[in-house]
Amino acid sequence: ELMGDRLVVLVPGRVLAFSLRNGKQVSKRTVPNVPSAGVCGTTTCPAVALRLLDASRGLVAYVHSGDLHLFRLRDGQDAVVAQATDARFGDTGLFYAYTATGTFPSRIRFVPWGSLPVQP
């Protein structure tokens, strides 16, 4: 994921951030060391326990076993937002998709930047 002047990369058990200016690693954070992948743009995505979804303003969003996590790259603070299937940052906050019951089970919720459990 590109995040401003940073490249955020998921490798087994870690999320690394690199400077686009000089290519140097600027941070390394631990995530669960489970089968993982990044965003999948097809209808037949491989089943993984952890999926990196997006990065913005120093925050990284990922889903681990159905829980949407946010963590801050500078210090590793991590918090669960909710059960979710996907998420993306927008200019005004975080949008995430989840499954509900009923006739229309797909849902999207929005959380403004100021209401996120981990602040940029």
Side-chain angles (χ1 to χ4, degrees), residues 1-11 13-31 52 54-60 71-76:
E1 292 292 324
L2 289 175
M3 182 181 66
D5 65 345
R6 302 276 190 258
L7 173 65
V8 178
V9 179
L10 174 67
V11 297
R14 300 204 191 307
V15 172
L16 311 174
F18 296 90
S19 168
L20 291 178
R21 292 188 183 127
N22 60 24
K24 291 184 180 179
Q25 183 177 316
V26 294
S27 68
K28 173 176 62 174
R29 296 291 170 213
T30 302
V31 294
L52 180 73
D54 203 1
S56 183
R57 297 186 183 186
L59 298 180
V60 173
F71 80 85
R72 194 168 41 219
L73 279 170
R74 76 172 179 265
D75 62 7

Side-chain angles (χ1 to χ4, degrees), residues 20-68:
L20 291 178
R21 292 188 183 127
N22 60 24
K24 291 184 180 179
Q25 183 177 316
V26 294
S27 68
K28 173 176 62 174
R29 296 291 170 213
T30 302
V31 294
N33 191 5
V34 295
S36 56
V39 173
C40 178
T42 68
T43 56
T44 56
C45 299
V48 294
L50 188 148
R51 186 170 305 276
L52 180 73
L53 301 173
D54 203 1
S56 183
R57 297 186 183 186
L59 298 180
V60 173
Y62 68 94
V63 170
H64 177 238
S65 299
D67 288 331
L68 173 60

Side-chain angles (χ1 to χ4, degrees), residues 95-114:
F95 296 84
Y96 69 90
Y98 65 99
T99 303
T101 59
T103 306
F104 303 103
S106 297
R107 300 279 190 260
I108 296 175
R109 183 163 285 150
F110 169 71
V111 183
W113 286 108

